PDB file of all heavy atoms in Angstrom:
ATOM      1  N   ARG A 241      82.925  -0.037 -48.578  1.00 96.00           N
ATOM      2  CA  ARG A 241      83.035   1.379 -48.925  1.00 96.00           C
ATOM      3  C   ARG A 241      84.375   1.678 -49.582  1.00 96.00           C
ATOM      4  O   ARG A 241      84.476   2.543 -50.466  1.00 96.00           O
ATOM      5  CB  ARG A 241      82.909   2.234 -47.654  1.00 96.00           C
ATOM      6  CG  ARG A 241      81.562   2.133 -46.977  1.00 96.00           C
ATOM      7  CD  ARG A 241      81.520   2.981 -45.711  1.00 96.00           C
ATOM      8  NE  ARG A 241      80.234   2.850 -45.058  1.00 96.00           N
ATOM      9  CZ  ARG A 241      79.162   3.561 -45.370  1.00 96.00           C
ATOM     10  NH1 ARG A 241      79.245   4.478 -46.318  1.00 96.00           N
ATOM     11  NH2 ARG A 241      78.026   3.379 -44.734  1.00 96.00           N
ATOM     12  N   SER A 242      85.427   0.963 -49.129  1.00 95.00           N
ATOM     13  CA  SER A 242      86.778   1.230 -49.627  1.00 95.00           C
ATOM     14  C   SER A 242      87.583  -0.051 -49.594  1.00 95.00           C
ATOM     15  O   SER A 242      87.198  -1.034 -48.932  1.00 95.00           O
ATOM     16  CB  SER A 242      87.469   2.300 -48.762  1.00 95.00           C
ATOM     17  OG  SER A 242      87.545   1.868 -47.413  1.00 95.00           O
ATOM     18  N   ALA A 243      88.705  -0.041 -50.303  1.00 93.00           N
ATOM     19  CA  ALA A 243      89.521  -1.249 -50.416  1.00 93.00           C
ATOM     20  C   ALA A 243      90.084  -1.692 -49.071  1.00 93.00           C
ATOM     21  O   ALA A 243      90.318  -2.882 -48.852  1.00 93.00           O
ATOM     22  CB  ALA A 243      90.661  -1.009 -51.405  1.00 93.00           C
ATOM     23  N   ASP A 244      90.285  -0.751 -48.153  1.00 92.00           N
ATOM     24  CA  ASP A 244      90.894  -1.126 -46.872  1.00 92.00           C
ATOM     25  C   ASP A 244      89.912  -1.803 -45.920  1.00 92.00           C
ATOM     26  O   ASP A 244      90.281  -2.172 -44.806  1.00 92.00           O
ATOM     27  CB  ASP A 244      91.551   0.081 -46.200  1.00 92.00           C
ATOM     28  CG  ASP A 244      90.577   1.216 -45.942  1.00 92.00           C
ATOM     29  OD1 ASP A 244      89.357   1.021 -46.078  1.00 92.00           O
ATOM     30  OD2 ASP A 244      91.054   2.325 -45.600  1.00 92.00           O
ATOM     31  N   GLN A 245      88.653  -1.979 -46.338  1.00 94.00           N
ATOM     32  CA  GLN A 245      87.692  -2.699 -45.503  1.00 94.00           C
ATOM     33  C   GLN A 245      87.774  -4.206 -45.682  1.00 94.00           C
ATOM     34  O   GLN A 245      87.202  -4.949 -44.871  1.00 94.00           O
ATOM     35  CB  GLN A 245      86.257  -2.239 -45.821  1.00 94.00           C
ATOM     36  CG  GLN A 245      85.853  -0.945 -45.133  1.00 94.00           C
ATOM     37  CD  GLN A 245      84.359  -0.712 -45.240  1.00 94.00           C
ATOM     38  OE1 GLN A 245      83.811  -0.680 -46.341  1.00 94.00           O
ATOM     39  NE2 GLN A 245      83.696  -0.551 -44.116  1.00 94.00           N
ATOM     40  N   HIS A 246      88.471  -4.676 -46.684  1.00 94.00           N
ATOM     41  CA  HIS A 246      88.570  -6.126 -46.901  1.00 94.00           C
ATOM     42  C   HIS A 246      89.407  -6.773 -45.805  1.00 94.00           C
ATOM     43  O   HIS A 246      90.424  -6.229 -45.397  1.00 94.00           O
ATOM     44  CB  HIS A 246      89.209  -6.406 -48.261  1.00 94.00           C
ATOM     45  CG  HIS A 246      88.340  -6.047 -49.419  1.00 94.00           C
ATOM     46  ND1 HIS A 246      87.149  -6.664 -49.685  1.00 94.00           N
ATOM     47  CD2 HIS A 246      88.494  -5.112 -50.392  1.00 94.00           C
ATOM     48  CE1 HIS A 246      86.603  -6.139 -50.766  1.00 94.00           C
ATOM     49  NE2 HIS A 246      87.400  -5.196 -51.220  1.00 94.00           N
ATOM     50  N   PRO A 247      89.008  -7.952 -45.330  1.00 95.00           N
ATOM     51  CA  PRO A 247      87.762  -8.649 -45.661  1.00 95.00           C
ATOM     52  C   PRO A 247      86.589  -8.116 -44.845  1.00 95.00           C
ATOM     53  O   PRO A 247      86.758  -7.703 -43.703  1.00 95.00           O
ATOM     54  CB  PRO A 247      88.078 -10.100 -45.286  1.00 95.00           C
ATOM     55  CG  PRO A 247      89.062  -9.989 -44.183  1.00 95.00           C
ATOM     56  CD  PRO A 247      89.896  -8.771 -44.484  1.00 95.00           C
ATOM     57  N   ILE A 248      85.409  -8.131 -45.440  1.00 96.00           N
ATOM     58  CA  ILE A 248      84.206  -7.655 -44.769  1.00 96.00           C
ATOM     59  C   ILE A 248      83.084  -8.651 -45.004  1.00 96.00           C
ATOM     60  O   ILE A 248      82.814  -9.031 -46.142  1.00 96.00           O
ATOM     61  CB  ILE A 248      83.822  -6.236 -45.255  1.00 96.00           C
ATOM     62  CG1 ILE A 248      82.566  -5.742 -44.535  1.00 96.00           C
ATOM     63  CG2 ILE A 248      83.666  -6.186 -46.762  1.00 96.00           C
ATOM     64  CD1 ILE A 248      82.251  -4.279 -44.812  1.00 96.00           C
ATOM     65  N   ASN A 249      82.462  -9.103 -43.910  1.00 97.00           N
ATOM     66  CA  ASN A 249      81.425 -10.128 -44.012  1.00 97.00           C
ATOM     67  C   ASN A 249      80.321  -9.876 -42.998  1.00 97.00           C
ATOM     68  O   ASN A 249      80.543  -9.253 -41.949  1.00 97.00           O
ATOM     69  CB  ASN A 249      82.020 -11.527 -43.764  1.00 97.00           C
ATOM     70  CG  ASN A 249      83.032 -11.926 -44.809  1.00 97.00           C
ATOM     71  OD1 ASN A 249      82.680 -12.207 -45.953  1.00 97.00           O
ATOM     72  ND2 ASN A 249      84.305 -11.938 -44.440  1.00 97.00           N
ATOM     73  N   VAL A 250      79.136 -10.355 -43.313  1.00 95.00           N
ATOM     74  CA  VAL A 250      78.007 -10.211 -42.402  1.00 95.00           C
ATOM     75  C   VAL A 250      78.348 -10.864 -41.065  1.00 95.00           C
ATOM     76  O   VAL A 250      78.936 -11.943 -41.009  1.00 95.00           O
ATOM     77  CB  VAL A 250      76.733 -10.840 -43.015  1.00 95.00           C
ATOM     78  CG1 VAL A 250      76.908 -12.331 -43.269  1.00 95.00           C
ATOM     79  CG2 VAL A 250      75.536 -10.583 -42.140  1.00 95.00           C
ATOM     80  N   GLY A 251      78.036 -10.166 -39.983  1.00 92.00           N
ATOM     81  CA  GLY A 251      78.320 -10.680 -38.651  1.00 92.00           C
ATOM     82  C   GLY A 251      79.636 -10.221 -38.066  1.00 92.00           C
ATOM     83  O   GLY A 251      79.902 -10.434 -36.880  1.00 92.00           O
ATOM     84  N   ASP A 252      80.496  -9.575 -38.884  1.00 92.00           N
ATOM     85  CA  ASP A 252      81.768  -9.061 -38.365  1.00 92.00           C
ATOM     86  C   ASP A 252      81.523  -7.934 -37.361  1.00 92.00           C
ATOM     87  O   ASP A 252      80.557  -7.178 -37.475  1.00 92.00           O
ATOM     88  CB  ASP A 252      82.633  -8.503 -39.504  1.00 92.00           C
ATOM     89  CG  ASP A 252      83.165  -9.580 -40.415  1.00 92.00           C
ATOM     90  OD1 ASP A 252      83.066 -10.761 -40.040  1.00 92.00           O
ATOM     91  OD2 ASP A 252      83.671  -9.244 -41.502  1.00 92.00           O
ATOM     92  N   GLU A 253      82.422  -7.820 -36.402  1.00 87.00           N
ATOM     93  CA  GLU A 253      82.388  -6.651 -35.531  1.00 87.00           C
ATOM     94  C   GLU A 253      82.766  -5.420 -36.343  1.00 87.00           C
ATOM     95  O   GLU A 253      83.579  -5.482 -37.250  1.00 87.00           O
ATOM     96  CB  GLU A 253      83.373  -6.824 -34.372  1.00 87.00           C
ATOM     97  CG  GLU A 253      82.962  -7.864 -33.347  1.00 87.00           C
ATOM     98  CD  GLU A 253      83.900  -7.882 -32.149  1.00 87.00           C
ATOM     99  OE1 GLU A 253      84.609  -6.876 -31.940  1.00 87.00           O
ATOM    100  OE2 GLU A 253      83.920  -8.905 -31.440  1.00 87.00           O
ATOM    101  N   ASP A 254      82.144  -4.283 -35.997  1.00 86.00           N
ATOM    102  CA  ASP A 254      82.417  -3.016 -36.689  1.00 86.00           C
ATOM    103  C   ASP A 254      82.154  -3.125 -38.190  1.00 86.00           C
ATOM    104  O   ASP A 254      82.806  -2.479 -39.002  1.00 86.00           O
ATOM    105  CB  ASP A 254      83.862  -2.554 -36.442  1.00 86.00           C
ATOM    106  CG  ASP A 254      84.170  -2.404 -34.966  1.00 86.00           C
ATOM    107  OD1 ASP A 254      83.291  -1.902 -34.227  1.00 86.00           O
ATOM    108  OD2 ASP A 254      85.267  -2.797 -34.564  1.00 86.00           O
ATOM    109  N   ASN A 255      81.205  -3.972 -38.555  1.00 89.00           N
ATOM    110  CA  ASN A 255      80.843  -4.112 -39.964  1.00 89.00           C
ATOM    111  C   ASN A 255      80.088  -2.860 -40.401  1.00 89.00           C
ATOM    112  O   ASN A 255      79.012  -2.558 -39.892  1.00 89.00           O
ATOM    113  CB  ASN A 255      79.958  -5.357 -40.140  1.00 89.00           C
ATOM    114  CG  ASN A 255      79.522  -5.578 -41.574  1.00 89.00           C
ATOM    115  OD1 ASN A 255      78.761  -4.800 -42.119  1.00 89.00           O
ATOM    116  ND2 ASN A 255      79.986  -6.651 -42.180  1.00 89.00           N
ATOM    117  N   ASP A 256      80.666  -2.123 -41.318  1.00 94.00           N
ATOM    118  CA  ASP A 256      80.039  -0.871 -41.790  1.00 94.00           C
ATOM    119  C   ASP A 256      80.104  -0.828 -43.307  1.00 94.00           C
ATOM    120  O   ASP A 256      80.811  -0.009 -43.896  1.00 94.00           O
ATOM    121  CB  ASP A 256      80.751   0.336 -41.173  1.00 94.00           C
ATOM    122  CG  ASP A 256      80.111   1.656 -41.586  1.00 94.00           C
ATOM    123  OD1 ASP A 256      78.871   1.669 -41.816  1.00 94.00           O
ATOM    124  OD2 ASP A 256      80.845   2.655 -41.702  1.00 94.00           O
ATOM    125  N   PRO A 257      79.373  -1.705 -43.982  1.00 97.00           N
ATOM    126  CA  PRO A 257      79.456  -1.769 -45.445  1.00 97.00           C
ATOM    127  C   PRO A 257      78.747  -0.601 -46.107  1.00 97.00           C
ATOM    128  O   PRO A 257      77.900   0.057 -45.502  1.00 97.00           O
ATOM    129  CB  PRO A 257      78.757  -3.082 -45.767  1.00 97.00           C
ATOM    130  CG  PRO A 257      77.751  -3.226 -44.680  1.00 97.00           C
ATOM    131  CD  PRO A 257      78.401  -2.666 -43.443  1.00 97.00           C
ATOM    132  N   LEU A 258      79.087  -0.368 -47.354  1.00 97.00           N
ATOM    133  CA  LEU A 258      78.345   0.602 -48.154  1.00 97.00           C
ATOM    134  C   LEU A 258      76.922   0.098 -48.365  1.00 97.00           C
ATOM    135  O   LEU A 258      75.950   0.854 -48.246  1.00 97.00           O
ATOM    136  CB  LEU A 258      79.057   0.797 -49.500  1.00 97.00           C
ATOM    137  CG  LEU A 258      78.427   1.774 -50.487  1.00 97.00           C
ATOM    138  CD1 LEU A 258      78.415   3.185 -49.904  1.00 97.00           C
ATOM    139  CD2 LEU A 258      79.175   1.744 -51.815  1.00 97.00           C
ATOM    140  N   PHE A 259      76.808  -1.200 -48.677  1.00 98.00           N
ATOM    141  CA  PHE A 259      75.512  -1.870 -48.775  1.00 98.00           C
ATOM    142  C   PHE A 259      75.631  -3.195 -48.033  1.00 98.00           C
ATOM    143  O   PHE A 259      76.569  -3.953 -48.257  1.00 98.00           O
ATOM    144  CB  PHE A 259      75.122  -2.128 -50.232  1.00 98.00           C
ATOM    145  CG  PHE A 259      74.983  -0.890 -51.062  1.00 98.00           C
ATOM    146  CD1 PHE A 259      75.928  -0.572 -52.031  1.00 98.00           C
ATOM    147  CD2 PHE A 259      73.919  -0.017 -50.871  1.00 98.00           C
ATOM    148  CE1 PHE A 259      75.810   0.573 -52.800  1.00 98.00           C
ATOM    149  CE2 PHE A 259      73.788   1.134 -51.630  1.00 98.00           C
ATOM    150  CZ  PHE A 259      74.735   1.435 -52.593  1.00 98.00           C
ATOM    151  N   ALA A 260      74.676  -3.463 -47.163  1.00 97.00           N
ATOM    152  CA  ALA A 260      74.763  -4.636 -46.299  1.00 97.00           C
ATOM    153  C   ALA A 260      74.337  -5.909 -47.024  1.00 97.00           C
ATOM    154  O   ALA A 260      73.604  -5.875 -48.020  1.00 97.00           O
ATOM    155  CB  ALA A 260      73.871  -4.435 -45.073  1.00 97.00           C
ATOM    156  N   PHE A 261      74.802  -7.033 -46.537  1.00 97.00           N
ATOM    157  CA  PHE A 261      74.336  -8.343 -46.983  1.00 97.00           C
ATOM    158  C   PHE A 261      72.805  -8.343 -46.938  1.00 97.00           C
ATOM    159  O   PHE A 261      72.193  -7.954 -45.952  1.00 97.00           O
ATOM    160  CB  PHE A 261      74.891  -9.417 -46.049  1.00 97.00           C
ATOM    161  CG  PHE A 261      74.412 -10.815 -46.343  1.00 97.00           C
ATOM    162  CD1 PHE A 261      75.122 -11.640 -47.200  1.00 97.00           C
ATOM    163  CD2 PHE A 261      73.261 -11.314 -45.741  1.00 97.00           C
ATOM    164  CE1 PHE A 261      74.691 -12.930 -47.468  1.00 97.00           C
ATOM    165  CE2 PHE A 261      72.822 -12.611 -46.002  1.00 97.00           C
ATOM    166  CZ  PHE A 261      73.538 -13.410 -46.864  1.00 97.00           C
ATOM    167  N   GLY A 262      72.190  -8.759 -48.042  1.00 98.00           N
ATOM    168  CA  GLY A 262      70.732  -8.787 -48.096  1.00 98.00           C
ATOM    169  C   GLY A 262      70.087  -7.532 -48.649  1.00 98.00           C
ATOM    170  O   GLY A 262      68.861  -7.482 -48.809  1.00 98.00           O
ATOM    171  N   TYR A 263      70.890  -6.504 -48.950  1.00 98.00           N
ATOM    172  CA  TYR A 263      70.336  -5.243 -49.464  1.00 98.00           C
ATOM    173  C   TYR A 263      69.914  -5.398 -50.927  1.00 98.00           C
ATOM    174  O   TYR A 263      70.553  -6.091 -51.718  1.00 98.00           O
ATOM    175  CB  TYR A 263      71.397  -4.141 -49.361  1.00 98.00           C
ATOM    176  CG  TYR A 263      70.962  -2.787 -49.858  1.00 98.00           C
ATOM    177  CD1 TYR A 263      70.327  -1.871 -49.026  1.00 98.00           C
ATOM    178  CD2 TYR A 263      71.187  -2.415 -51.182  1.00 98.00           C
ATOM    179  CE1 TYR A 263      69.937  -0.624 -49.480  1.00 98.00           C
ATOM    180  CE2 TYR A 263      70.795  -1.162 -51.661  1.00 98.00           C
ATOM    181  CZ  TYR A 263      70.165  -0.274 -50.803  1.00 98.00           C
ATOM    182  OH  TYR A 263      69.773   0.948 -51.261  1.00 98.00           O
ATOM    183  N   GLY A 264      68.846  -4.722 -51.294  1.00 98.00           N
ATOM    184  CA  GLY A 264      68.403  -4.692 -52.684  1.00 98.00           C
ATOM    185  C   GLY A 264      67.129  -3.913 -52.813  1.00 98.00           C
ATOM    186  O   GLY A 264      66.185  -4.099 -52.043  1.00 98.00           O
ATOM    187  N   LEU A 265      67.080  -2.990 -53.770  1.00 98.00           N
ATOM    188  CA  LEU A 265      65.918  -2.145 -53.986  1.00 98.00           C
ATOM    189  C   LEU A 265      64.992  -2.753 -55.036  1.00 98.00           C
ATOM    190  O   LEU A 265      65.378  -3.647 -55.790  1.00 98.00           O
ATOM    191  CB  LEU A 265      66.355  -0.748 -54.467  1.00 98.00           C
ATOM    192  CG  LEU A 265      67.282   0.054 -53.568  1.00 98.00           C
ATOM    193  CD1 LEU A 265      67.689   1.348 -54.270  1.00 98.00           C
ATOM    194  CD2 LEU A 265      66.619   0.370 -52.235  1.00 98.00           C
TER     195      LEU A 265
END
């Protein structure tokens, strides 16, 4: 969602991405 979320990866605690790993319309 923002630059201060780095690093962000699937399985992290408190993982709150704008779009999750595996997302796609």
Side-chain angles (χ1 to χ4, degrees):
R241 296 179 181 275
S242 59
D244 58 11
Q245 279 192 304
H246 290 296
I248 181 172
N249 296 289
V250 61
D252 290 348
E253 289 186 20
D254 303 320
N255 180 293
D256 182 31
L258 180 63
F259 299 108
F261 176 91
Y263 180 88
L265 301 175

